[in-house]
């Protein structure tokens, strides 16, 4: 994986990615990666799945644009293998008060101009085949991490900005 040194709380992220043009494998074995928000050493954060889902069925909460392991996207907005795709993500970090969750994390995801999630409340940090919970307070801030699953996924034009002071209400 590759991880930023800088960390953010509420933020807006733009990232472009492309799965390999040559189709090899199927389901999760095809252009698999992920964009993690609010991630830090020892803390998984929240994953937005990167996967070649063009004519490639897989489990619903593991498709491209899914809040991994929690919520499938509203629609499959994937382009053909090899084509550049874009994610525009707004992440609202959870709010805690003396160890109690006050407001869960919320994620908005737009892929290639198509809305996949609108302020979807996460059930806790994401993970594979586990029940997500807010068992302990999240860190106040976390970094951006791009997952390496061994597939030749490419990334470009990545930018992130803090939304500190942003009022989502």
């Amino acid at each position: 994986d590759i991880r930023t040194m800088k960390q953010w709380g509420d933020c807006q992220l733009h990232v472009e990615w492309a799965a390999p043009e040559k189709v090899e494998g199927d389901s999760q074995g095809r252009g698999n990666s992920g964009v993690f928000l609010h991630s830090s050493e020892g803390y998984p954060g929240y994953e937005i799945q990167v996967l070649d889902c063009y004519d490639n069925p897989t489990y619903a909460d593991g498709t491209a644009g899914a809040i991994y392991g929690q919520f499938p996207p509203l629609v499959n907005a994937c382009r053909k293998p090899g084509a550049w795709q874009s994610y525009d993500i707004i992440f609202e970090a959870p709010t805690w008060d003396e160890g109690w969750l006050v407001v869960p994390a919320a994620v908005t995801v737009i892929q290639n101009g198509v809305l996949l999630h609108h302020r979807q409340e996460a059930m806790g940090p994401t993970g594979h085949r586990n029940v997500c919970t807010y068992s302990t307070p999240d860190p106040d801030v976390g970094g951006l991490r791009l997952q390496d699953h061994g597939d030749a996924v490419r990334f470009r034009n990545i930018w992130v900005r803090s939304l500190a002071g942003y009022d989502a209400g």
Side-chain angles (χ1 to χ4, degrees):
D1 295 1
I2 187 170
R3 178 189 321 257
T4 62
M5 293 178 67
K6 182 171 173 71
Q7 300 190 348
W8 296 268
D10 295 354
C11 64
Q12 177 185 5
L13 167 71
H14 174 85
V15 59
E16 296 172 14
W17 59 273
E21 186 172 352
K22 183 179 178 187
V23 174
E24 294 180 356
D26 59 1
S27 187
Q28 294 292 301
R30 206 167 117 181
N32 192 340
S33 185
V35 175
F36 284 80
L37 298 128
H38 212 70
S39 175
S40 59
E41 197 64 43
Y43 184 78
Y46 302 82
E47 179 183 4
I48 306 305
Q49 176 75 327
V50 169
L51 188 71
D52 175 6
C53 281
Y54 187 85
D55 197 23
N56 180 30
T58 190
Y59 53 92
D61 58 9
T63 61
I67 300 171
Y68 189 78
Q70 296 184 20
F71 299 100
L74 294 172
V75 66
N76 181 349
C78 278
R79 295 178 176 149
K80 291 183 178 182
W84 284 103
Q85 319 227 24
S86 66
Y87 279 165
D88 290 290
I89 302 167
I90 296 174
F91 177 78
E92 298 170 61
T95 304
W96 297 83
D97 184 17
E98 297 184 18
W100 294 96
L101 180 67
V102 177
V103 179
V107 186
T108 297
V109 180
I110 298 168
Q111 181 182 4
N112 301 327
V114 179
L115 182 68
L116 304 184
H117 301 280
H118 178 66
R119 294 194 74 213
Q120 178 63 60
E121 290 185 355
M123 296 185 287
T126 59
H128 180 62
R129 294 186 177 182
N130 66 356
V131 176
C132 305
T133 64
Y134 288 101
S135 56
T136 59
D138 289 28
D140 291 335
V141 294
L144 166 66
R145 180 167 51 104
L146 301 177
Q147 184 180 48
D148 178 11
H149 256 310
D151 291 351
V153 176
R154 298 175 295 155
F155 293 92
R156 71 177 188 187
N157 297 330
I158 302 167
W159 58 261
V160 61
R161 70 179 182 130
S162 173
L163 295 177
Y166 168 74
D167 179 8

